[in-house]
Amino acid sequence: MEIVAFGVQSDEKPLIEKAFAGRHEVRCLDVFLTEDTAPIAAGYEAVSTSVNCGLGHRVLQTLAAGGTQLVAQRSTGFNNIDLEVAERLGMTVARVSYYSPYSVAEFAWTLGMAVNRRIVRAANRTRDFDFRLDGLMGRDLHGRTAGVIGTGKIGEAFTRIAHGFGMNLLGWDIAENPACAALGMKYVSKERLLAESDLVTLHVPLMPETQHLIDADALRTMKDDAILVNSSRGGLIDSQALVAQLREGRFTGVGLDVYEAEAGLFFLDKSLETVEDDTLARLVTFPNVLVTSHQAYYTGDAVGQIVEATVKNVLDYTEGRRSENVLVPRS
């Protein structure tokens, strides 16, 4: 079977080609799947997509018309795929339900510590041989409170690191994680978590119920000197409300690896273009905000697991098997 993979990063390409070698023919493209690029998939029974590809009804209809029957998403999230339309078109959709939770949890901590200890500002200064400490004062996290919103595998990994720092632990989720509770985590309401936490981190999926989970009211509930980290999905935070709070001088630091309107921006070089997203343009100007380009998952370990799971999803499809990764089964 011939497969076309969209949105493939240069570091990812050799891993994909090696994993599929001797099994199926794969064509790796660095362009993302959009309405404009969907015709490229004509004649390919399977397409593999990244989380920043857009698989709305028009794209799916184009894929189906071109003969595509399988969408193998190379991520855990799948909010970019219209599953109802895919099912109606008789397409099979699979994702990667699991990969290294440590990659994302460790990066979330990297963001939190970077804004707390003013690492970016310090690095920029020392490049100019400015070795002053003015404006670089951080604070110990030992003895302070970490609020973990979403305590699944990634949230648990983050909690274990917070426990190692000697932090007090608050959690919020639809179900308690016994492993987190064993570390001393107290499950409380979202409002209490936001009000009492010195560091708040988000590790929940994006769905209608969690869209703008951190809205204007939630942000106002947080401490003025809190640290907010989001390495999950951009739509969890109301970005305009966040800008409004930052303009009032709130928060010690905000670390964002994701952004709600990142499609068409993240993973691309826009350095020679005018970015028309005023909210993102404003966010990156705040000295206490660090924005990275959805790279929390991007370790060799995690990407390797994602690729292997994608290969398995394709093999399961061709051999008529169904696994926990299937979102829309083969009709």
Side-chain angles (χ1 to χ4, degrees), residues 149 172 190 194 202 204 206 209-215 218-219 235-238:
I149 296 181
W172 180 84
K190 184 184 74 172
L194 293 172
L202 309 180
V204 295
L206 180 62
E209 297 80 8
T210 59
Q211 178 74 29
H212 287 180
L213 183 69
I214 305 300
D215 56 13
L219 291 166
L236 299 175
I237 296 178
D238 183 336

Side-chain angles (χ1 to χ4, degrees), residues 23-267:
R23 294 167 168 170
H24 297 286
E25 294 294 325
V26 61
R27 177 186 179 191
C28 293
L29 304 177
D30 58 1
V31 298
F32 293 99
L33 180 58
T34 65
E35 290 185 31
D36 293 333
T37 61
I40 297 174
Y44 289 90
E45 185 176 348
V47 301
S48 179
T49 56
S50 70
V51 72
N52 273 356
C53 292
L55 285 83
H57 70 280
R58 291 184 179 177
V59 168
L60 289 170
Q61 287 171 346
T62 301
L63 293 178
T68 297
Q69 298 181 39
L70 170 67
V71 174
Q73 174 105 326
R74 301 189 309 280
S75 72
T76 299
F78 53 90
N79 53 285
N80 60 315
I81 307 173
D82 191 325
L83 298 181
E84 292 183 2
V85 171
E87 183 174 16
R88 189 164 65 246
L89 293 169
M91 302 175 75
T92 300
V93 180
R95 61 155 178 169
V96 177
S97 60
Y98 175 85
Y99 60 85
S100 169
Y102 310 108
S103 60
V104 179
E106 291 171 5
F107 194 83
W109 268 106
T110 300
L111 288 175
M113 292 302 295
V115 296
N116 176 38
R117 301 306 300 268
R118 316 289 197 253
I119 298 299
V120 175
R121 182 184 298 177
N124 288 337
R125 281 187 184 179
T126 54
R127 286 195 184 98
D128 293 329
F129 297 98
D130 179 353
F131 299 104
R132 293 172 300 158
L133 297 181
D134 297 345
L136 301 182
M137 183 175 288
R139 56 180 172 172
D140 292 359
L141 292 179
H142 177 85
R144 288 187 162 83
T145 300
V148 184
I149 296 181
T151 57
K153 293 182 177 66
I154 297 173
E156 179 186 330
F158 186 96
T159 299
R160 292 187 182 279
I161 299 172
H163 181 262
F165 270 88
M167 300 187 75
N168 303 312
L169 305 171
L170 296 180
W172 180 84
D173 208 328
I174 57 174
E176 296 187 9
N177 183 334
C180 292
L183 293 171
M185 173 173 281
K186 181 183 296 184
Y187 281 85
V188 296
S189 68
K190 184 184 74 172
E191 291 71 24
R192 179 179 171 188
L193 181 149
L194 293 172
E196 297 183 10
S197 296
D198 298 290
L199 184 155
V200 175
T201 184
L202 309 180
H203 301 291
V204 295
L206 180 62
M207 54 186 66
E209 297 80 8
T210 59
Q211 178 74 29
H212 287 180
L213 183 69
I214 305 300
D215 56 13
D217 289 338
L219 291 166
R220 283 191 289 266
T221 302
M222 294 175 63
K223 294 181 177 181
D224 287 342
D225 61 353
I227 294 170
L228 174 62
V229 175
N230 186 12
S231 58
S232 184
R233 288 292 179 267
L236 299 175
I237 296 178
D238 183 336
S239 303
Q240 292 185 5
L242 177 59
V243 167
Q245 293 295 300
L246 288 164
R247 285 172 63 101
E248 294 181 12
R250 301 192 66 225
F251 306 131
T252 289
V254 176
L256 303 174
D257 185 51
V258 287
Y259 174 63
E260 60 180 323
E262 68 182 56
L265 291 172
F266 282 22
F267 304 151

